[in-house]
């Protein structure tokens, strides 16, 4: 993930903003739809031969990696759907391989998210939603990553897209105009709340404004970009653990937390750290990766 990356992070102030007061009111006013609160923790891909002997059993073959991934993590930021709509057989394979409690979070097709009309005047939104609905109970929120040029002046275009998108959805905005004043951000959140869409919150060094911490539904999707396990990665995760526990205490139903590291190699280290912080929160259902014990084929936690 290159967005917001910096050559040096030593001067970055990673202190998060205070919790927006609107969050408590939103969660208090939204009736709970599920008996169990859930935290899903995952990475951005499963085809990682470097994880063999680390979180995959030594010698795991590529065709078996998805099955092992879904037993280590309980969600994934599914980026392949950004480039093409998967066919029925691919969807069925993903369904068959994934653990029962696993959730896929597909990234909306680029030909939709980067179209001037966000696909509202063509067939792609319907085709995308029909295909991904085949994941059934293993489908988490899809997420649309709006391009950097998509600003607050295009709110009406976003609403037309939201009217037509029929699956659970989270929305990521990147243009600075959404954060330039409180009115623009409030209008965005009101629109997402109207269509029961969630926010995407991105925690990355070079764009601290996109770590806005605003909720628009009882679900949230967090994209956390680490820096090669720099000490600040872990202090930031400490902050996130406290924030998530606070939100769950207010009534948050689900959080999807994706750990990014260069080339995805160290993403499990961050995922495990967060899981260990959250696994004993009262009333929270979650799971996270564990390490292979060398030579035994069994798994061992790092902490």
């Amino acid at each position: 993930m290159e967005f917001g990356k910096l050559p040096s992070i030593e001067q970055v102030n990673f202190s998060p903003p205070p919790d927006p007061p609107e969050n408590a009111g939103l969660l208090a006013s939204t009736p709970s739809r599920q008996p169990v609160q859930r935290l899903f923790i995952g990475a951005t891909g499963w085809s990682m031969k470097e994880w063999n002997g680390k979180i995959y059993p030594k010698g795991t073959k590529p065709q078996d990696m998805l099955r092992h991934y879904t037993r280590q993590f309980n969600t994934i930021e599914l980026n392949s759907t950004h480039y093409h709509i998967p066919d029925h057989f691919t969807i069925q394979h993903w369904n068959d391989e994934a653990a029962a409690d696993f959730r896929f979070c597909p990234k909306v097709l680029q030909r939709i998210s980067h179209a001037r009309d966000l696909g509202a005047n063509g067939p792609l939104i319907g085709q995308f939603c029909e295909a991904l609905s085949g994941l059934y109970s293993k489908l988490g929120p899809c997420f649309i990553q709006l391009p950097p040029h998509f600003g607050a002046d295009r709110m009406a275009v976003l609403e037309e897209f939201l009217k037509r998108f029929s699956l659970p959805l989270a929305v990521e905005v990147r243009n600075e105009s959404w954060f330039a004043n409180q009115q623009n951000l409030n209008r965005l959140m009101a629109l997402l709340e109207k269509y029961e869409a969630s926010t995407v919150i991105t925690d990355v060094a070079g764009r601290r404004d996109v770590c806005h911490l605003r909720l628009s539904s009882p679900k949230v999707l967090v994209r956390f970009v680490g820096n090669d396990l720099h000490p600040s990665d872990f202090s930031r995760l400490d902050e996130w653990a406290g924030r998530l526990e606070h939100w769950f205490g207010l009534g948050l139903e689900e959080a999807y937390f994706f750990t990014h590291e260069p080339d995805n190699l160290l993403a499990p280290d961050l995922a495990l750290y967060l899981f260990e912080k959250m696994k004993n929160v009262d009333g929270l259902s979650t799971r996270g990766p564990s390490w292979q014990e060398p030579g035994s084929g069994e798994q061992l936690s790092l902490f």
Side-chain angles (χ1 to χ4, degrees):
M1 181 174 173
E2 295 302 317
F3 172 74
K5 293 289 285 184
L6 296 174
S8 172
I9 64 168
E10 299 308 319
Q11 303 303 315
V12 176
N13 179 6
F14 283 110
S15 300
D19 206 56
E22 296 87 353
N23 288 349
L26 170 77
L27 294 175
S29 64
T30 306
S32 178
R33 301 178 184 177
Q34 58 187 45
V36 178
Q37 295 171 302
R38 295 185 174 93
L39 171 61
F40 296 90
I41 306 172
T44 63
W46 62 73
S47 299
M48 301 295 298
K49 65 181 186 300
E50 295 85 355
W51 291 352
N52 279 358
K54 182 177 181 180
I55 63 166
Y56 296 161
K58 187 175 181 180
T60 296
K61 297 178 180 178
Q63 61 266 31
D64 297 325
M65 287 181 176
L66 173 58
R67 178 165 50 84
H68 287 293
Y69 177 95
T70 72
R71 274 100 184 138
Q72 287 279 43
F73 302 90
N74 58 357
T75 191
I76 190 166
E77 181 182 300
L78 188 60
N79 287 303
S80 65
T81 54
H82 190 53
Y83 304 105
H84 60 87
I85 298 175
D87 59 31
H88 169 78
F89 300 101
T90 300
I91 292 287
Q92 187 62 54
H93 173 70
W94 290 347
N95 239 333
D96 292 344
E97 290 291 287
D101 65 340
F102 188 81
R103 299 291 183 273
F104 293 90
C105 292
K107 190 174 182 180
V108 171
L109 189 71
Q110 187 177 49
R111 285 186 291 156
I112 296 173
S113 64
H114 286 55
R116 183 165 183 80
D117 64 351
L118 297 184
N121 295 304
L124 287 177
I125 292 176
Q127 292 170 4
F128 183 89
C129 290
E130 182 179 3
L132 275 300
S133 67
L135 290 171
Y136 302 110
S137 64
K138 295 176 185 176
L139 177 66
C142 304
F143 73 101
I144 185 168
Q145 189 178 83
L146 295 173
H149 62 263
F150 193 100
D153 60 326
R154 306 195 66 205
M155 189 86 69
V157 177
L158 177 57
E159 180 160 18
E160 288 302 313
F161 166 79
L162 292 171
K163 287 177 182 178
R164 290 162 173 76
F165 198 87
S166 59
L167 298 177
L169 181 71
V171 177
E172 179 179 10
V173 294
R174 293 183 165 188
N175 188 274
E176 290 89 345
S177 64
W178 296 104
F179 312 103
N181 60 67
Q182 195 64 40
Q183 183 180 12
N184 283 349
L185 189 60
N186 288 343
R187 288 173 59 221
L188 173 63
M189 295 302 147
L191 180 66
L192 298 184
E193 187 176 352
K194 176 181 176 180
Y195 290 95
E196 298 185 343
S198 305
T199 50
V200 175
I201 299 171
T202 302
D203 188 341
V204 63
R207 280 291 302 276
R208 300 309 296 159
D209 55 347
V210 295
C211 191
H212 53 79
L213 301 184
R214 281 288 296 273
L215 303 176
S216 58
S217 84
K219 300 179 182 179
V220 67
L221 195 154
V222 180
R223 306 177 77 226
F224 180 93
V225 184
N227 297 286
D228 293 304
L229 305 187
H230 186 276
S232 62
D233 290 354
F234 300 100
S235 59
R236 289 159 62 203
L237 286 174
D238 290 341
E239 291 276 1
W240 270 110
R243 183 84 55 171
L244 289 169
E245 185 170 1
H246 173 66
W247 285 347
F248 282 117
L250 293 175
L252 187 73
E253 293 181 358
E254 292 181 353
Y256 295 80
F257 198 101
F258 299 105
T259 56
H260 291 248
E261 279 285 358
D263 299 320
N264 208 28
L265 296 181
L266 300 174
D269 300 67
L270 298 181
L272 176 58
Y273 186 84
L274 180 65
F275 167 68
E276 292 291 335
K277 289 282 182 178
M278 299 296 295
K279 67 181 182 181
N280 294 320
V281 174
D282 287 343
L284 183 65
S285 173
T286 188
R287 63 180 175 86
S290 56
W291 260 234
Q292 295 286 325
E293 185 176 1
S296 72
E298 297 180 356
Q299 293 175 334
L300 181 69
S301 170
L302 280 182
F303 298 95

